[in-house]
Amino acid sequence: MMKLFHNPASPFVRKVMVALIETGQLDDVTLISVAGSPTASEQMPTAQNPLGKVPTLIRDSGPAIYDSRVICRFFDHRAGGRLYPESHLWETLTLEATADGMMDAAVLMVYEARCRPEDKRSEEWVESQWNKVSRALDALESRWMSHLSGPLDMGQIAVGCALGYLDFRHDARNWRKGREALAAWYEDFAGRPAMQVTQPRA
Ligand code: BEZ
C-alpha cells in the first residue's frame, strides 16, 4: 500500500486527493496525517523529502516522490493519462502551474501571519503576494474560461483547489468581485463529489 503524507488544510494535498478520487485510486493509498509549517518541521516528512513538505508519496517501490505536480502526474499516468491529455498538454501544465503559483502565494501570506513575530511582518510583502493571486485570477477570467469549461483535466482540478483555498483562508479578499465567469465556473466545479469530500479543514 502506498503512503501519502497529508494535511487537510493544504491545497496541494487536496489536488492529489481530488486526482485520486477522480481516477478511482483512493483505495490504493494510506494517508499519514502530519501538521507543521516552515518553522515547525518535526512532523514533516524531512527524511523522505528534503524540503519537508506535503504532499509526499511513498510508492510500493522506489524512492519517495514529490511535489503535487509530480504526484498528480504519477497517479494519472497509472490510471491511463486522462487528466494530462496529449492534445492540450502544455496548456494543461501551464494552467496547473498558474493555480500552483496562486496557492504558493496564498500559503505564504498565511505563513507570514502564522510563523513570523508580529514586529517582523511586512504588509508590503503580503500585498505583493496577493497581487500575484489577483493577476492570476484576472488571467483565468480573461483567458482560460474556455479551457476551464472543457473536459476535466489537472489544470481544472488545480484551479478548483486554489479557489477553494482562497475561500478557506482569504475569504475577506472577495476574489469573486469582477470575475463573474470564474465564480460561476467554480460554483459548478465545487459541487463535484471529489471536491465536496476534500473540503479544507484546519
Ligand atoms: C494552512 O493551514 O493553510 C496550510 C497547511 C498546510 C499546508 C499549506 C497550508
Side-chain angles (χ1 to χ4, degrees), residues 7 9-11 36 54 107 110-111 114 165 168-169:
N7 181 293
S10 164
V54 292
V107 169
V110 170
Y111 285 160
R114 190 183 292 168
Y165 189 72
F168 180 53
R169 292 291 189 211

Coordinates of all heavy atoms in Angstrom, one line a residue, residues 7 9-11 36 54 107 110-111 114 165 168-169, ligand 1:
N7 N -2.2 16.7 4.8 CA -2.7 17.6 5.8 C -4.0 18.2 5.2 O -4.0 18.6 4.0 CB -1.7 18.8 6.0 CG -2.2 19.8 7.0 OD1 -3.2 20.5 6.8 ND2 -1.6 19.8 8.2
A9 N -5.6 20.8 5.4 CA -5.7 22.3 5.1 C -4.9 22.6 3.8 O -5.1 23.7 3.2 CB -5.2 23.1 6.2
S10 N -4.0 21.7 3.4 CA -3.1 22.0 2.3 C -3.8 21.9 0.9 O -4.4 20.9 0.5 CB -1.9 21.1 2.3 OG -1.3 21.1 1.0
P11 N -3.8 23.0 0.1 CA -4.4 22.9 -1.2 C -3.6 22.0 -2.2 O -4.2 21.5 -3.1 CB -4.4 24.4 -1.7 CG -3.3 25.0 -1.0 CD -3.2 24.3 0.4
G36 N 2.3 20.9 10.5 CA 3.6 21.6 10.5 C 3.6 22.8 9.7 O 2.6 23.2 9.1
V54 N 4.3 18.6 2.4 CA 3.2 17.7 1.9 C 2.7 18.4 0.7 O 2.8 19.6 0.6 CB 2.1 17.6 3.0 CG1 2.6 16.8 4.2 CG2 1.5 18.9 3.4
V107 N -0.5 30.7 0.4 CA 0.0 30.0 1.6 C 1.1 30.8 2.3 O 1.1 31.0 3.5 CB 0.6 28.6 1.2 CG1 1.4 28.0 2.4 CG2 -0.6 27.6 0.8
V110 N -0.4 33.2 4.6 CA -0.8 32.6 5.8 C 0.4 32.4 6.7 O 0.4 32.7 7.9 CB -1.5 31.3 5.6 CG1 -1.8 30.5 6.9 CG2 -2.9 31.5 4.9
Y111 N 1.5 32.0 6.2 CA 2.7 31.7 6.9 C 3.3 33.0 7.5 O 3.9 33.0 8.6 CB 3.8 31.0 6.1 CG 3.5 29.5 5.8 CD1 4.1 28.9 4.8 CD2 2.7 28.8 6.7 CE1 3.9 27.5 4.5 CE2 2.4 27.4 6.5 CZ 3.0 26.8 5.4 OH 2.8 25.5 5.2
R114 N 1.4 33.5 10.5 CA 1.5 32.4 11.5 C 2.9 32.2 12.0 O 3.1 31.8 13.2 CB 1.0 31.1 10.8 CG 0.8 29.9 11.7 CD 0.4 28.7 11.0 NE -0.9 28.7 10.4 CZ -1.4 27.8 9.5 NH1 -0.6 26.8 9.2 NH2 -2.6 28.0 9.0
Y165 N -9.0 27.2 -1.6 CA -8.1 27.7 -0.6 C -8.3 29.2 -0.3 O -8.2 29.7 0.8 CB -6.7 27.4 -1.0 CG -5.7 27.7 0.2 CD1 -5.7 26.8 1.3 CD2 -4.9 28.8 0.2 CE1 -4.8 27.1 2.4 CE2 -4.0 29.1 1.3 CZ -4.0 28.2 2.3 OH -3.2 28.5 3.4
F168 N -11.1 29.5 1.9 CA -10.8 28.9 3.2 C -10.0 29.9 4.0 O -10.3 30.1 5.2 CB -10.0 27.6 3.0 CG -9.6 26.9 4.2 CD1 -10.4 26.6 5.2 CD2 -8.2 26.5 4.3 CE1 -10.0 25.9 6.4 CE2 -7.8 25.8 5.4 CZ -8.7 25.5 6.5
R169 N -9.0 30.5 3.4 CA -8.0 31.4 4.2 C -8.1 32.9 3.9 O -7.6 33.7 4.7 CB -6.6 30.9 3.9 CG -6.3 29.5 4.5 CD -6.2 29.6 6.0 NE -5.7 28.3 6.6 CZ -6.1 27.8 7.7 NH1 -7.0 28.4 8.5 NH2 -5.6 26.7 8.2
Ligands
BEZ1 C1 -2.9 26.0 6.0 O1 -3.1 25.8 7.2 O2 -3.3 27.0 5.4 C2 -1.9 25.1 5.3 C3 -1.5 23.9 5.9 C4 -0.6 23.1 5.2 C5 -0.1 23.4 4.0 C6 -0.5 24.6 3.4 C7 -1.4 25.5 4.1

